[in-house]
Amino acid sequence: MRHELKIAALVTTLTLILAGCASSPDSTASLATDAAKSKTASDINAVKNDLDQANSALESTKSDELDWFATEPMKEARKALAEAKEYYGEFALDPSKANSSSGFFSSKTNLEAAQSAITQFNVYLTKAQSIRSSAMTTLESAFDYQAQLTKIGADKYYPNTVKQLDNELKKLVDDIADDKVNAAISAQPDLLVKQRALEVKTITKIYLADAKQQLNQLKQEQIGDYAPKTLAQAAASVTAAEAFINAEPRAISKIKEKAAEAIFAINHAKQVAIAVKQLKALPSSAYENYIVNIEDMLLTISNKLGADDKRDEPISQQGKAIAAFIDKNMKNEQALEQQKNALHDQVKQQKDQLEELAAQIESLNTKLLNKTDYANSLEKRLSELLVKIEPDKATPSSPQTVTTSVKQKNNTPKIETATSKSSSN
């Protein structure tokens, strides 16, 4: 059918060309034709610009994931854009086809069909953007958990679970796209519970898996037979870390501290168990050497600290003596540090006072220098005035009096010189 239309269009074009050849180009009859051609060219250029903008808009939807948020509207938008490009292709190289019929049963021209398809594209794209905006607002909590799961790499540890939760979220988004907002809101809490559970599970896997594995290993090795108390403490430390993760799965810094404490407790239990095993394996004759070895270690610490030898006391007292010695020295060091800081503050305060005094002295020197310059200027001015006084109008004693007064002013404090000038003038 489109082939037949192309043949008909060619026939029409040839007829118009022949008719144009028969008419005179230099006549008012050709002005209407020229105007129509100009409008058609303008419309074709507008369609081209609209298609370019549509392509750019479609490309930008990738970052917003509009195909995921609004699958059906985006399918329709792509379909409409493809139709617009097809109709535009009919007259892109031959503008005369712009006003040809777009189809045998269509009342639209190729140009009108392209414009209509572009309009439809924009309508569907706008709808898709609206669906995304509504979904992001309505399901804000669910999307926050989804982002958190992506951030901690939950798909690395539990890919199937992550995929299932994403599918559930997609169903809620589709409900919003189908104008079932209330249904999406009602279903969201159940999804949030699952998302949070996966977050806790993932964080536990990342930060506590090693501790749990080591604890299980100790239990399998029956460490409890040798160090039941320390093993129980280690188990309690792991349980406390798990409880904290469940309460605050995003407090990563604190979680790391809790995990480190659990590992420490596990290693402590392991070392205690090893020591108990060794002790049980010793014959009774070796007990004395075992105790002496412990005393030697405590003595080495005492010697390094400069403390007294306390081996004439029970082992427990030897340890307490070392602790007391350290505590006393720490308090002395703290007292010395406080004295040092107080002295430093005092020196700083005195330094500030000296700097302030130096600034005041500098200011006074500047003022005195200015007053001296002012007095010298006044004396020079008075001398010039005396020279200008006519001898017959001046008393014999007047010049001497003025000169003497000026000299006296130069020998007085500078602040008085300024007052003298005012009196002289």
Side-chain angles (χ1 to χ4, degrees):
M1 181 64 70
R2 185 170 291 279
H3 180 69
E4 295 175 355
L5 290 174
K6 289 183 177 180
I7 295 176
L10 288 174
V11 173
T12 303
T13 302
L14 290 173
T15 303
L16 291 174
I17 293 174
L18 293 174
C21 293
S23 62
S24 173
D26 188 16
S27 65
T28 57
S30 65
L31 294 179
T33 302
D34 292 341
K37 290 181 178 180
S38 178
K39 184 179 183 307
T40 299
S42 177
D43 291 340
I44 291 174
N45 185 62
V47 169
K48 175 63 170 59
N49 292 335
D50 289 342
L51 285 175
D52 290 340
Q53 292 178 6
N55 285 325
S56 298
L58 187 62
E59 184 67 23
S60 66
T61 62
K62 293 180 180 179
S63 60
D64 292 335
E65 298 181 318
L66 284 189
D67 285 296
W68 186 84
F69 280 93
T71 305
E72 291 303 319
M74 286 303 298
K75 284 182 179 179
E76 294 298 327
R78 292 178 185 278
K79 181 180 177 181
L81 183 58
E83 290 181 359
K85 291 179 179 179
E86 182 180 356
Y87 287 122
Y88 174 75
E90 293 292 331
F91 55 82
L93 299 178
D94 187 359
S96 63
K97 295 181 180 180
N99 294 316
S100 299
S101 176
S102 61
F104 187 77
F105 296 103
S106 175
S107 61
K108 295 181 181 179
T109 64
N110 287 324
L111 179 62
E112 292 172 341
Q115 292 171 333
S116 178
I118 292 173
T119 299
Q120 286 299 309
F121 167 81
N122 290 325
V123 169
Y124 285 120
L125 184 63
T126 300
K127 183 178 180 180
Q129 292 170 338
S130 177
I131 291 172
R132 181 185 184 279
S133 178
S134 179
M136 291 296 293
T137 301
T138 305
L139 306 174
E140 181 179 2
S141 298
F143 280 110
D144 176 71
Y145 271 115
Q146 186 191 50
Q148 180 65 12
L149 291 173
T150 300
K151 181 180 178 181
I152 63 178
D155 58 335
K156 177 182 176 181
Y157 303 96
Y158 309 103
N160 292 332
T161 305
V162 170
K163 186 176 181 180
Q164 291 173 4
L165 293 180
D166 286 345
N167 289 337
E168 289 188 29
L169 179 58
K170 172 61 175 171
K171 291 179 181 178
L172 302 188
V173 172
D174 289 342
D175 285 340
I176 292 176
D178 295 336
D179 294 328
K180 300 177 182 178
V181 179
N182 291 334
I185 294 175
S186 299
Q188 182 176 210
D190 181 60
L191 176 59
L192 295 180
V193 171
K194 296 176 182 178
Q195 287 177 318
R196 190 183 188 283
L198 180 58
E199 180 184 5
V200 170
K201 189 176 181 179
T202 303
I203 293 297
T204 303
K205 180 74 172 178
I206 294 173
Y207 296 103
L208 211 58
D210 187 34
K212 295 179 71 175
Q213 182 179 357
Q214 290 189 40
L215 180 62
N216 290 332
Q217 184 66 28
L218 292 182
K219 291 179 179 179
Q220 291 175 5
E221 294 174 358
Q222 298 182 338
I223 296 297
D225 294 342
Y226 301 96
K229 291 182 179 179
T230 51
L231 183 60
Q233 291 174 354
S237 181
V238 173
T239 301
E242 285 185 293
F244 184 83
I245 290 175
N246 186 67
E248 299 183 48
R250 301 187 186 184
I252 302 301
S253 296
K254 192 66 177 179
I255 289 172
K256 289 181 179 179
E257 292 179 9
K258 293 288 185 180
E261 291 172 2
I263 292 293
F264 180 88
I266 290 170
N267 289 333
H268 178 223
K270 187 185 301 182
Q271 295 304 321
V272 170
I274 292 173
V276 172
K277 283 183 179 180
Q278 292 175 346
L279 184 59
K280 286 187 174 183
L282 291 174
S284 58
S285 60
Y287 289 172
E288 180 181 0
N289 289 335
Y290 186 87
I291 299 299
V292 170
N293 286 335
I294 295 176
E295 283 189 330
D296 288 341
M297 287 188 289
L298 294 175
L299 178 61
T300 300
I301 296 173
S302 298
N303 291 337
K304 292 290 185 181
L305 294 173
D308 296 333
D309 185 353
K310 297 290 185 179
R311 285 180 296 169
D312 57 339
E313 299 180 5
I315 291 180
S316 60
Q317 293 300 320
Q318 293 178 35
K320 290 179 180 179
I322 293 174
F325 182 85
I326 294 173
D327 185 59
K328 179 180 178 181
N329 279 273
M330 288 183 64
K331 289 181 178 179
N332 291 337
E333 290 180 3
Q334 290 175 354
L336 290 174
E337 185 66 21
Q338 291 175 355
Q339 292 177 2
K340 178 183 175 182
N341 292 335
L343 181 60
H344 180 271
D345 293 340
Q346 183 179 358
V347 171
K348 185 178 184 300
Q349 183 179 5
Q350 291 177 351
K351 182 181 177 181
D352 293 340
Q353 291 175 351
L354 288 174
E355 290 178 352
E356 182 179 357
L357 180 60
Q360 293 176 357
I361 292 173
E362 181 67 20
S363 176
L364 288 173
N365 287 335
T366 301
K367 292 179 180 179
L368 289 173
L369 180 62
N370 292 338
K371 290 178 179 179
T372 301
D373 292 342
Y374 184 77
N376 292 335
S377 175
L378 177 61
E379 182 178 358
K380 182 179 179 182
R381 179 59 179 165
L382 289 174
S383 299
E384 292 175 353
L385 290 174
L386 289 174
V387 172
K388 292 181 180 180
I389 297 176
E390 294 182 2
D392 56 344
K393 292 185 179 181
T395 61
S397 61
S398 295
Q400 295 178 353
T401 302
V402 175
T403 303
T404 302
S405 176
V406 171
K407 290 181 178 180
Q408 290 176 348
K409 290 174 183 177
N410 287 335
N411 294 328
T412 58
K414 301 310 186 248
I415 189 66
E416 295 178 2
T417 303
T419 307
S420 300
K421 180 188 174 185
S422 302
S423 303
S424 301
N425 289 337

